[in-house]
């Protein structure tokens, strides 16, 4: 039989364990109102080389930073998968919210009137709101749903209604009303005291 000695003839194998990146990103404001919503997503991962953003609607993006607006209120999810040069990856998800905004509206009875005897009636037609404020165009304000208003000067007035719903989202609408000057009636008589002919 061949003889064996007790020497270790195995070779050492060097292995490398690379750290994986830690995915991170910011959202400029994760809770916004529907009207004018604009979400900016920024990758803050320090060691990422490749990234893929995936939105709730399955759309994707690979930019370091991008902005997106949403056309419906709701709760949305966004995730980012980052990969470094060693092909190590990490994923992070966050949720953000688009709150419903009211749609301001009002009607005004007869928006063009004469100064003498003018009486405007404004009615807020907005639904599901918590509060409102009228700016009547003459530096006065009101908060009632129905406003009866008379103006003291003949001119044009921009009447603005701002409404706020329970989600603290707002909308406003402005309409122009006109108060025209009234004529001043007058006449003369050539001789106010005359004899019967």
């Amino acid at each position: 039989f061949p003889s064996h000695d007790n020497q270790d003839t195995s070779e050492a194998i060097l292995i490398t364990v690379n750290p994986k990146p830690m995915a991170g990103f910011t959202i400029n404001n994760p809770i916004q109102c529907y009207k004018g919503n604009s979400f900016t997503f920024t990758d803050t991962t320090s060691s990422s080389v490749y990234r893929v953003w995936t939105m709730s609607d399955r759309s994707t993006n690979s930019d370091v930073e991008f902005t997106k607006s949403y056309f419906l209120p709701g709760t949305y999810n966004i995730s980012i998968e980052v990969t470094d040069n060693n092909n190590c990856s990490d994923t992070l998800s966050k949720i953000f919210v688009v709150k419903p905004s009211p749609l301001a509206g009002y009607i005004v009875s007869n928006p063009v009137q004469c100064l003498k005897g003018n009486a405007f009636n404004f009615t807020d037609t907005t639904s599901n709101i918590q509060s409102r404020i009228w700016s009547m165009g003459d530096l006065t304000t009101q908060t009632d749903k129905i406003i009866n208003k008379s103006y003291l000067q003949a001119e044009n007035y921009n009447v603005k209604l701002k409404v706020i719903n329970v989600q603290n989202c707002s909308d406003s609408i402005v309409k122009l009303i006109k108060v025209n000057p009234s004529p001043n009636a007058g006449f003369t008589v050539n001789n106010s005291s005359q004899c019967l002919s």
Side-chain angles (χ1 to χ4, degrees):
F1 294 97
S3 62
H4 296 281
D5 55 23
N6 291 330
Q7 292 180 345
D8 186 2
T9 59
S10 63
E11 295 182 14
I13 300 175
L14 178 66
I15 63 171
T16 302
V17 179
N18 294 310
K20 74 173 187 175
M22 183 172 291
F25 67 91
T26 60
I27 305 174
N28 62 328
N29 184 355
I31 301 175
Q32 297 184 33
C33 295
Y34 167 73
K35 186 174 182 181
N37 78 83
S38 181
F39 293 88
T40 299
F41 307 98
T42 306
D43 179 7
T44 58
T45 312
S46 60
S47 58
S48 64
V49 176
Y50 309 102
R51 76 194 56 78
V52 177
W53 301 90
T54 304
M55 277 67 77
S56 295
D57 59 3
R58 305 291 187 210
S59 61
T60 60
N61 194 295
S62 60
D63 296 334
V64 174
E65 180 178 283
F66 72 100
T67 299
K68 185 175 176 68
S69 296
Y70 288 81
F71 300 106
L72 289 173
T75 299
Y76 294 89
N77 179 279
I78 186 169
S79 64
I80 187 172
E81 182 180 8
V82 294
T83 306
D84 63 14
N85 278 324
N86 298 312
N87 207 31
C88 296
S89 63
D90 189 29
T91 302
L92 176 65
S93 297
K94 292 183 181 181
I95 61 171
F96 56 98
V97 177
V98 181
K99 300 188 294 184
S101 294
L103 182 60
Y106 73 84
I107 56 175
V108 53
S109 63
N110 193 4
V112 179
Q113 297 184 31
C114 294
L115 177 61
K116 185 176 182 179
N118 77 85
F120 293 88
N121 179 270
F122 302 93
T123 303
D124 177 7
T125 58
T126 316
S127 58
N128 300 320
I129 64 166
Q130 181 172 325
S131 63
R132 73 182 62 79
I133 185 165
W134 299 86
S135 298
M136 306 308 297
D138 61 351
L139 303 181
T140 64
T141 59
Q142 303 273 357
T143 57
D144 293 333
K145 181 180 178 69
I146 299 174
I147 304 295
N148 296 304
K149 173 74 174 174
S150 295
Y151 289 91
L152 302 177
Q153 295 183 10
E155 59 182 89
N156 295 338
Y157 296 90
N158 287 309
V159 178
K160 177 181 178 180
L161 171 65
K162 180 180 179 180
V163 293
I164 301 172
N165 65 10
V166 294
Q167 288 85 11
N168 204 33
C169 293
S170 64
D171 190 28
S172 60
I173 185 173
V174 177
K175 293 184 181 182
L176 176 68
I177 65 163
K178 295 184 177 183
V179 180
N180 291 324
S182 296
N184 292 318
F187 65 90
T188 61
V189 179
N190 62 335
N191 188 345
S192 60
S193 177
Q194 299 185 29
C195 296
L196 180 64
S197 38

